[in-house]
Amino acid sequence: MIDPLSAAAEPSRRRILQLLAARSMTVTEIAAEFTVTRSAISQHLLVLAEAGLVEAEKVGRQRIYRVLPGGLQRLQAEIDRFWTRELDQLVDDAHTIRRDS
Amino acid sequence: MIDPLSAAAEPSRRRILQLLAARSMTVTEIAAEFTVTRSAISQHLLVLAEAGLVEAEKVGRQRIYRVLPGGLQRLQAEIDRFWTRELDQLVDDAHTIRRDS
DNA sequence: GCAATACGTTAGCGAGCACTAACGTATTTG
DNA sequence: CAAATACGTTAGTGCTCGCTAACGTATTGC
C-alpha cells in the first residue's frame, strides 16, 4: 500500500479529497472541476485508492467515489507522527515572536 | 518560493526536519544519519531552504542548519487549510466506528 | 441492435526528482 | 604554505510523475 501522505500531498489529489469529503461524486463530476483530462483524474483516483483513501462503488455505468474514513484516519496519524512536540514548540515560539512584534 | 507541504512530504526531508527540530546541526552531522551522499543532503537542504523551512548560519568552515519557526508555522497552516471540518467529521466518524467494534 | 455515455487502461512523452561522481571554494590545522 | 576539512555546485543518469491521446469495455437510451 502506498504512503498516504505522499499520495495526498499532490495538489490535484488534495483537491479531489476535498471534493469527495464534501460529497461522493462520479468521475465525470470530479473531472468537471479540473482542466485536465478525465483519464488523468482516473489515474489520480487509482493512486488515492491504493493509498486506502478512497473507494469506488459501481452504480450502473458510473462509479461513485467516496473517501474512506479509515484512510483519512491513517493519514492524520501519519501527520501527527511527523508533527512532534519539538515542532510544536517551535511553532509556539513563532507565535510568541509574532505577538511581540 | 516552493510549496512547503510538497517540500516536507519527501521522506528524507521529513527526517531532516525532525533532526533539525531537535537541535541545529551541520551538514556532515545530518548526512551521518543517512546512507546517501552528503551531496544529496545538501540538495535536500536547498529545497527546504527555498521553502522557507530551514536556514543556514555560516560558522567557520561549517554551516549550521536550523529550522525556521515561521516556515513550520506556514506548513502547519497549509495542513490545517487542507484538513477542513468535513475531513475532521469523517475522521471522527471513523473513531466512533472503531469505538463500536 | 446501435449510438451514446461512463469509465478503465495503456503507450508514450516531457519534465522533474533523487541521486552519485567529480570538481571547485573557503577555512582550519599542522 | 600545504594537507585536510566542510561544504556548495554541476553534469549526468535512471526513474518516477503527471499528463494526453487512443482504444477497449460495460451500461443505458432510443
Side-chain angles (χ1 to χ4, degrees):
Chain A
M1 186 171 295
I2 295 180
D3 173 34
L5 181 48
S6 298
E10 205 279 328
S12 295
R13 288 196 287 267
R14 269 190 251 177
R15 271 196 67 200
I16 292 178
L17 282 177
Q18 297 279 358
L19 291 171
L20 290 182
R23 66 180 184 91
S24 297
M25 297 172 73
T26 67
V27 179
T28 305
E29 281 176 333
I30 299 171
E33 302 285 334
F34 292 82
T35 61
V36 297
T37 316
R38 180 189 52 77
S39 174
I41 302 299
S42 268
Q43 295 175 50
H44 279 309
L45 287 170
L46 181 64
V47 173
L48 291 174
E50 283 176 347
L53 291 168
V54 303
E55 187 188 50
E57 180 196 357
K58 191 178 177 182
V59 175
R61 64 183 161 185
Q62 58 194 3
R63 312 226 174 167
I64 303 179
Y65 277 86
R66 60 165 158 268
V67 296
L68 285 173
L72 289 181
Q73 202 174 329
R74 281 194 299 276
L75 173 58
Q76 195 185 42
E78 196 173 353
I79 291 176
D80 288 348
R81 218 175 305 127
F82 165 75
W83 210 267
T84 62
R85 276 162 198 77
E86 289 100 13
L87 292 174
D88 269 341
Q89 187 55 46
L90 288 165
V91 171
D92 287 347
D93 292 348
H95 278 292
T96 305
I97 291 166
R98 223 183 157 197
R99 227 176 285 130
D100 290 348
S101 64
Chain B
M1 187 171 295
I2 295 180
D3 174 33
L5 182 49
S6 299
E10 204 277 330
S12 294
R13 289 196 286 267
R14 268 191 253 177
R15 270 195 67 200
I16 292 178
L17 282 177
Q18 296 279 359
L19 291 170
L20 290 182
R23 66 181 184 90
S24 297
M25 296 171 73
T26 67
V27 179
T28 305
E29 281 176 332
I30 299 172
E33 302 285 332
F34 292 82
T35 61
V36 297
T37 316
R38 179 188 52 78
S39 174
I41 302 300
S42 268
Q43 295 175 53
H44 280 309
L45 287 169
L46 181 65
V47 173
L48 290 174
E50 282 176 348
L53 291 167
V54 304
E55 187 188 51
E57 180 196 357
K58 190 177 176 183
V59 175
R61 64 182 160 186
Q62 57 194 5
R63 311 226 174 166
I64 303 178
Y65 276 87
R66 60 165 157 268
V67 294
L68 286 172
L72 288 181
Q73 202 175 331
R74 282 194 298 277
L75 174 57
Q76 195 185 42
E78 196 173 353
I79 291 176
D80 287 347
R81 218 176 305 127
F82 164 75
W83 210 267
T84 63
R85 276 159 197 77
E86 290 100 12
L87 291 175
D88 270 340
Q89 187 54 47
L90 288 164
V91 172
D92 287 346
D93 292 347
H95 278 292
T96 304
I97 291 166
R98 221 182 158 200
R99 229 176 281 128
D100 290 347
S101 62

